[in-house]
Amino acid sequence: MITLYTFGSYFGLPDASPFVFKGEMLLKIARLEYCKKRRGLARGPKGKLPYIDDNGTIVADTTLIRLYLEQKYGIDFDRGLSIRDRGVAWATEKMLEDHLYWVLVYWRWLDDANFERGPANFFKRAPAIIRPLAKWKIRGNVRRTLHAHGIGRHSEAEMTALSDRAFEALSQVLGDNAYLMGNTPCGADATAFAFIATALSPVFESPARAKAHALPNLTAYRDRMMAEFYPEMGSDPSIS
Ligand SMILES: N[C@@H](CCC(=O)N[C@@H](CS)C(=O)NCC(=O)O)C(=O)O
């Protein structure tokens, strides 16, 4: 049995992290049996979540998890796609993970109101005396990471121009398909669904959320995918 290490469900989403959400979607799309465990971050080999433990084989990072599942279980997540569509799917996924993601991190962690409604809740178990310092330190780390990535050097207006374009590109690739690349889910649906649903969480107000919300094929896709893969969350009024 595969164990997926997670943060847990927050903000009306299956997981606080879009990458953990993606990792779970890969397992669901592959129809593999799995269980979820929380509090594995400290033991994670790369200091991040998710990672999986497949009967003693530890694999960290969702893209490496995908490659592992493909190899170990003989799965082709992109079966049925043309060579060109495989390329488009992979490039779209990486635009979301390595570009758009950082704009979402900015709004979630560095906007004061969003931080208080969202990540501040992660610190509730910290002793009250050190809580402000812990929050300040982690937000400082996030700021430095965004600066090192490069996105954090942009103004909010510049970041918004970039995230608007990313959502438009995603909407253009999806078109009126049922799934990202056609009539069946492919590997990149795990990422597309996780990132669209994360961006649309009503807990976080931002120009990025407003843009995603203004693209009807993205919201309809989120709703369809939620109903299909997380029916237990489908009626959650906080997901709107
Ligand atoms: N490339 C990684 C990214 C994973 C990642 O960034 N996880 C974040 C949460 S969204 C994390 O665990 N952060 C904890 C930390 O940096 O301390 C993947 O695809 O799994």
Side-chain angles (χ1 to χ4, degrees):
M1 167 81 90
I2 297 172
T3 303
L4 175 71
Y5 285 88
T6 75
F7 289 102
S9 177
Y10 289 88
F11 320 136
L13 298 164
D15 200 274
S17 157
F19 286 102
V20 174
F21 186 170
K22 172 199 168 186
E24 181 169 26
M25 277 302 300
L26 286 172
L27 294 166
K28 283 177 183 272
I29 291 171
R31 297 179 195 276
L32 291 168
E33 272 192 47
Y34 66 94
C35 63
K36 297 197 277 184
K37 278 194 189 155
R38 296 177 61 179
R39 311 206 203 297
L41 182 60
R43 291 187 308 281
K46 296 186 181 172
K48 291 192 178 213
L49 293 181
Y51 62 96
I52 58 166
D53 180 345
D54 185 10
N55 289 316
T57 303
I58 310 285
V59 187
D61 187 288
T62 53
T63 303
L64 297 177
I65 291 170
R66 171 178 169 168
L67 299 184
Y68 168 81
L69 297 177
E70 288 180 336
Q71 208 241 331
K72 171 88 191 278
Y73 295 97
I75 294 161
D76 177 0
F77 280 96
D78 290 350
R79 70 190 169 283
L81 294 191
S82 67
I83 297 293
R84 186 174 184 282
D85 280 356
R86 285 171 184 258
V88 172
W90 190 271
T92 303
E93 168 172 313
K94 296 312 167 204
M95 171 187 74
L96 299 178
E97 295 179 0
D98 296 331
H99 180 66
L100 181 71
Y101 169 68
W102 297 106
V103 180
L104 301 181
V105 168
Y106 172 84
W107 289 114
R108 184 185 284 200
W109 284 85
L110 298 183
D111 178 90
D112 290 340
N114 284 338
F115 177 79
E116 285 309 322
R117 282 195 299 273
N121 291 297
F122 302 150
F123 298 84
K124 279 187 175 151
R125 287 189 304 136
I129 185 96
I130 62 153
R131 209 175 293 149
L133 181 66
K135 287 181 186 175
W136 174 81
K137 194 169 178 309
I138 292 204
R139 292 182 84 190
N141 289 346
V142 171
R143 193 178 294 282
R144 277 188 292 281
T145 301
L146 293 178
H147 188 80
H149 173 273
I151 206 93
R153 297 165 198 238
H154 300 320
S155 67
E156 290 186 350
E158 288 168 336
M159 271 191 286
T160 298
L162 297 176
S163 56
D164 279 2
R165 195 66 182 254
F167 281 121
E168 279 161 20
L170 182 59
S171 171
Q172 287 156 356
V173 172
L174 175 63
D176 56 10
N177 291 339
Y179 300 97
L180 186 66
M181 302 304 299
N183 292 327
T184 49
C186 70
D189 277 289
T191 298
F193 173 37
F195 279 72
I196 292 169
T198 296
L200 286 170
S201 167
V203 173
F204 305 107
E205 284 171 19
S206 72
R209 179 181 192 270
K211 180 67 182 182
H213 203 257
L215 293 164
N217 67 340
L218 297 190
T219 55
Y221 169 82
R222 184 274 313 266
D223 293 346
R224 281 196 306 278
M225 295 291 279
M226 200 59 89
E228 179 174 351
F229 290 99
Y230 292 92
E232 70 281 11
M233 300 195 82
S235 59
D236 184 340
S238 67
I239 304 175
S240 62

